[in-house]
Amino acid sequence: MKAYQLKITARYMNSPVWRRIVVPADLSFAQLSVVLNEAMGWSGEHMYSFEFPDLQLRLEELNENYDYFFEDMDVDDPSEIMLEAYLDLENRFTYVFDFGNDWRHTVMVEKILTDYDRRYPVILKFRGDTPCQDNNPETFDLEEVNEKLKKMCLTGINCKPMTQEEIYDSLERGRGFFNIQGNFQGIYDWDEEDDAEILRSNPDLQDELENIWMRIQDPGQDINSLRADVRLQDIYMDYNKENLLEIARLHHLKGYSRLNKEELIKFLASRLLGRDTMRTYFTYLTDEEISIIDSFSKPVSGKETEEEEISRGIALVSGGYAGASCLGYIVIPEEVRQAYYKNCKDKKWNEERQKKQELAIYLNGAAELYGICPVEKALEIYTKYTGKSANAEEIQEFCKVIPENKKDYIYDNSRLIHKSFAREEDRKELERSQKGKHYYMPSRQEIETLGREGYLPFDSSMRAVKSFLTDFLRGDGGYAEDLCRYMQRVIREGGTVQEIIDFLSGIDVLDEFCDRKTIEKVRQLLHNVWNRTRKMQNRGNISEKIARQQKSTGNIVNFPAGRNIRR
C-alpha cells in the first residue's frame, strides 16, 4: 500500500530530538496528529494544527472557546482532509501541539512509498528522549512506542471524519483506525473557471476576498486595531487560564489558587503593576530588555518588529508586562511604562539592581560551566573577580526570588544544578562522570559570558565553524553564530558530533544535496570544537590529551587564576 516516510524534528530543544516514521497514506490529518503525539510522547490532551506556509494554509479543529489570529491563512478541518491531499506535492510543513506551550515540529516528507506492507505506522529511527511535557520527561522506548503504534492499524471499516478526541476514544475501546471518508483533494485541485463564476455572481464575496488580500499585503494594519490605551487586562483576555497561572508562578505570587479567570486577570494586573512585584522582576532584566519600554509603549504602525527587538521583548511578554501578536508585534501598555517610572527609576533601586544582577550572572555562569556546582564554588569565583562576598544562607534566599526565566539552574541542597540535568537519572550520570575531577577555574570573561549569554567565548576552532557556516549559508553570519552557540551547548552537555550532524540535517542546513566532501569538512571542524570545548562532565576542563598538547606547544601559559594568555 502507499505510505509516506516522514522525519519529525522538535524545534527549540537543548539537544536534537527527532523521529523517522512511516505512515500509511490512507490517514486523515487528525489521525496523523494522534500518530505524531505517540511518536513524540505528547499526551494528546491539547489543541493542535498543521501549517503549510507556502500555501498560506492551516489545518486546525475549530474551537469556539479559542480566538483565532491567523487571518492571513486559510483554515481547514484536519479531520476531513486526507494526507494525499497535500503530501504528494508538499514535502515540508509544521506540526504545532499545545497552543499554550507552542511545541513546534518541522515535518519533512522524505519518501513516498508504493509498496509498504503494513497497515499501521512504524518508527524506523529516533534521536533524543521524549521532550519534557508538564515537567514529566521520559526515556524514549522505541519498541514500546512501536507496539502502541501497531494498535493504530487501519481496520478497513469506513467511517465519517473523526476529531482527534473521537479517535482517542475509539483507540481506548481497543479499536484501530477507521478508514476516514474524507477529502483527498487539496487547493491544487480548485477549478479556476468555477471560482471565477462564483465571484462574478457574488460581488460581496469578491470585496471580502480583496479586503483579506490587502491585510495580507500590509500586515501592519493588524496592529492598528490595538488601541494606544490598551491595558494589561485587555492583553490577558486572550490568554487561557494556564497561561495566567504561569505568570503568577513566575512572580512567586500567592493567594490566587481559587480565582476564576476573570478574577485572576484583575489580580495579576493589579499585582504586576505594584511596587514590590515590579521592582523584583525588573531587577533581573537587562538594560536592553528594559530599553524597549519607551519604544513599544504605543502600537507600531506599518512595519513588523525587528527580530532583535522581538528577542529583547520576550522577557516582558513572558513576565506578563507586554503583549505579542502572531505577526511579530510587541505592545507595551502605557500603564506599564508609567508604573516602571514610578516604581523603579530611582538611584537606590539602580544600585541594588547592579549588585543583584552581578551575583545572578556568576550563579548562572557557574551552573553553565559545571552542570552541578556547590554554592561555595560559585561564591569562590564571585569573590575572586568582584571582591564581594556572600554566604550560603544569603544565596538560598536570593535564589527564591529570582524569576525562573532568569536563572538557568535549580537550587538543591546547597548546590546549583543546571536545568538540563533536572531529571534524577541525568543528574546521577553527570555526578558519576565528574567523580574525582577537579573544578576548572574560569577566566572572568568566560564566567561572565556564560552567565549573561549562556555560552563560552568562541575560540579559534569555533570561529572556524562559524566562518564555514557563514559562507555555506551565503553570508548569514547571524544564523551561523546562533547555530554555533547551540552546538557548543550540545557539546558542553555531553552531546556527540554525530548528534550535531543529525541536528543540522534535521533543520535542512545539511540537506540531501550536500556532497560527502562538505559533510566530512563539517565533521572535521566539529571534532576540533568537541576536543576543545569545556564540558560539564569534566567540570569545565577540556580533555587531558588536548591540555597536554597545548602545554607542549608552548602557545598557552596557564596562570593560577585560570586566565589563558597566548604568547
Side-chain angles (χ1 to χ4, degrees), residues 224-376:
N224 292 333
S225 65
L226 291 172
R227 304 184 314 276
D229 61 345
V230 65
R231 303 180 65 194
L232 281 181
Q233 291 190 36
D234 301 324
I235 293 172
Y236 294 161
M237 288 296 294
D238 289 331
Y239 291 5
N240 60 41
K241 188 173 181 181
E242 182 55 35
N243 296 146
L244 299 173
L245 292 173
E246 286 178 5
I247 294 173
R249 289 191 289 265
L250 179 68
H251 292 282
H252 306 291
L253 301 179
K254 296 179 180 179
Y256 58 85
S257 59
R258 297 185 180 181
L259 301 181
N260 60 34
K261 180 179 177 180
E262 183 178 349
E263 294 168 336
L264 187 56
I265 287 173
K266 294 179 180 178
F267 171 84
L268 284 176
S270 173
R271 293 295 297 273
L272 263 63
L273 295 175
R275 177 182 172 87
D276 291 343
T277 302
M278 178 172 270
R279 283 173 77 96
T280 298
Y281 189 72
F282 276 66
T283 289
Y284 301 99
L285 300 186
T286 66
D287 292 340
E288 290 78 12
E289 289 169 336
I290 291 177
S291 69
I292 72 168
I293 283 183
D294 289 322
S295 301
F296 294 96
S297 59
K298 295 181 180 179
V300 179
S301 178
K303 73 179 186 70
E304 291 188 35
T305 311
E306 296 294 333
E307 183 176 349
E308 181 181 346
E309 294 169 334
I310 292 175
S311 66
R312 298 206 312 264
I314 288 174
L316 287 175
V317 174
S318 61
Y321 285 102
S325 79
C326 62
L327 296 178
Y329 297 107
I330 294 174
V331 176
I332 302 173
E334 174 65 17
E335 63 181 352
V336 170
R337 190 182 72 86
Q338 291 180 2
Y340 166 69
Y341 279 97
K342 175 183 176 182
N343 295 330
C344 303
K345 290 295 288 183
D346 60 75
K347 183 178 180 181
K348 181 179 179 181
W349 177 76
N350 273 315
E351 290 175 350
E352 270 187 39
R353 174 171 171 260
Q354 296 301 322
K355 294 177 184 177
K356 290 181 178 179
Q357 281 210 353
E358 188 174 52
L359 178 56
I361 286 169
Y362 276 82
L363 296 181
N364 273 333
E368 286 280 0
L369 182 62
Y370 302 128
I372 299 175
C373 176
V375 168
E376 291 80 4

Side-chain angles (χ1 to χ4, degrees), residues 442-477:
S443 69
R444 184 165 192 163
Q445 182 189 15
E446 286 175 325
I447 194 70
E448 292 186 355
T449 304
L450 274 171
R452 286 194 182 97
E453 309 292 342
Y455 67 93
L456 287 161
F458 287 1
D459 64 2
S460 59
S461 62
M462 186 59 88
R463 288 195 295 272
V465 173
K466 179 186 174 183
S467 176
F468 178 86
L469 287 176
T470 300
D471 292 341
F472 190 72
L473 296 168
R474 299 180 180 179
D476 193 345

